Each structure stands twice: as structure tokens, then as C-alpha cells.
Amino acid sequence: NAGVMQNPRHLVRRRGQEARLRCSPMKGHSHVYWYRQLPEEGLKFMVYLQKENIIDESGMPKERFSAEFPKEGPSILRIQQVVRGDSAAYFCASSPLPTARGGLNTQYFGPGTRLTVL
Amino acid sequence: AQTVTQSQPEMSVQEAETVTLSCTYDTSESDYYLFWYKQPPSRQMILVIRQEAYKQQNATENRFSVNFQKAAKSFSLKISDSQLGDAAMYFCAYRGDNNDMRFGAGTRLTVKP
């Protein structure tokens, strides 16, 4: 069973460009979470999505950032008009339906995308 | 809001020795999950161990065990027989009803040969 996949692993953008980060959850997982990690800090929650629905976007900046998880294909985190402060590692995690106890509340993380804004 | 505090920015241990990493959290929820993740230089987040708050028994995974004190809101990680490959950043995390995870700032563990 392949793990959570993220691409690209490294992304370089100039200020004002758009960044698109992709996340393919583990097989059988329908819940996706995006986190941002600034240098020397822990991960900060951004958004939680199920297929075709944004469940919780309380951690996402109100402007320039958007996320989607379409019925088919990977989840996309889009950052428009990037600025230097957007430089960070962006992690995606996935889990199965979080409706029961057991192993279902564990989030499995992808390798992350390191975004550098020049 | 739930907060997670790791008061040790850095820790060091001699190979084959035991080290304990501290974590405290603040919550008003009664049912939640606690995790320790390891982040090596590759930056991959690797689940080390998890604990359900409703379970009194401390979780154990091979050389890794936790000391979960629910009343004190403490969740420390003990690594026994430390190995060079254990060197990494370790993050304590909390997950409650709202599905997102709250992470501490991390503890950088160095293992000396």
C-alpha cells in the first residue's frame, strides 16, 4: 500500500507567481489535511478536506490560499501571488473515515513539499 | 483552544542509553488522541507512537514508550537503548474532536556514539 504522495518535493517560485502543491492520499483514505511548517517550528494546521468538501479551513490564510479535493485526482493546495513569507514546507496527511476508534484517527503524512519563494 | 508544549528544544543522549522527551498539553475535551512523530533530516513525518486518552495503559512500541498522565495533561516519550538512527526532531501532537492536529514546537534529539 503506497503511502501519501506529494509532488513536487521541491518548488521554487518568484514573488507574484502561483504555486500548486499536490497530494495523493493513501489508498482507501478519503480525508486529507494540509499543514505548513516554517523553519525550526512545528507543523501548523491549515485545512481539512473530504472528497469535494472543505470541512475546516480555520488555519488557512483568508487571501491567496485555496485548497480542493476533487472527486477524482489529488488534493491541490494553491497559493496565488506568492510572497517570501510563504516559503515553508507544506505537508499533506490522510486518514480513513474518522468516525470510530482503533487506528482510524491516525494521520499518515506525506514527504512534504518545500516551497522556496525568491 | 488546545495547545501543545514541548519545553525541551534540544536533548542529547548517549547511544544505548535512555532518554525522556517531555510534552504537556492543554484541553477541555475528555476524549482525544496523542501522538509522537519523528522528523529526521529527510523531513518525512514518521509516526512513532499513539495513545488514546480513554486508555489508562501506556502505549509501547518496541523501544518507545509513553508515560501518559491524563490528570496532569502530560505525555512524555521514553526512548530506550537509543540508536544513532533515533536522532531527529520529535514532535508531540494532539488530536481532538475537530480532526486537525496541534503540534508542539519540537525537540531536537542528538544521539552521541
Side-chain angles (χ1 to χ4, degrees), chain B residues 59-72:
Chain B
T60 299
E61 288 287 341
N62 300 315
R63 297 183 295 106
F64 298 87
S65 62
V66 298
N67 183 5
F68 174 47
Q69 301 289 329
K70 190 172 184 179

Side-chain angles (χ1 to χ4, degrees), chain A residues 77-97:
Chain A
L77 178 67
R78 182 184 292 110
I79 312 172
Q80 296 177 305
Q81 299 175 334
V82 296
V83 300
R84 288 216 173 111
D86 297 332
S87 296
Y90 292 82
F91 287 89
C92 167
S94 74
S95 70
L97 291 172

Side-chain angles (χ1 to χ4, degrees), chain B:
Chain B
Q2 299 85 11
T3 58
V4 178
T5 302
Q6 292 179 251
S7 59
Q8 306 155 317
E10 297 183 353
M11 289 286 284
S12 179
V13 63
Q14 203 71 36
E15 193 176 7
E17 298 291 312
T18 295
V19 65
T20 299
L21 308 184
S22 301
C23 173
T24 59
Y25 58 94
D26 185 26
T27 184
S28 59
E29 296 175 320
S30 59
D31 194 14
Y32 48 87
Y33 297 79
L34 297 164
F35 305 83
W36 278 97
Y37 282 89
K38 170 185 177 182
Q39 187 179 46
S42 67
R43 298 188 71 84
Q44 175 80 45
M45 292 290 286
I46 302 167
L47 177 66
V48 175
I49 200 166
R50 65 191 294 270
Q51 173 84 41
E52 292 92 331
Y54 66 89
K55 288 186 177 179
Q56 292 185 335
Q57 186 174 5
N58 288 326
T60 299
E61 288 287 341
N62 300 315
R63 297 183 295 106
F64 298 87
S65 62
V66 298
N67 183 5
F68 174 47
Q69 301 289 329
K70 190 172 184 179
K73 297 179 182 175
S74 170
F75 183 61
S76 61
L77 173 69
K78 186 172 80 171
I79 307 174
S80 304
D81 186 24
S82 297
Q83 300 175 359
L84 295 177
D86 295 334
M89 284 289 288
Y90 285 82
F91 292 96
C92 177
Y94 168 103
R95 180 176 178 178
D97 285 341
N98 57 355
N99 288 304
D100 66 274
M101 295 184 72
R102 308 294 170 125
F103 286 83
T107 296
R108 185 179 301 279
L109 178 65
T110 302
V111 181
K112 297 179 179 178

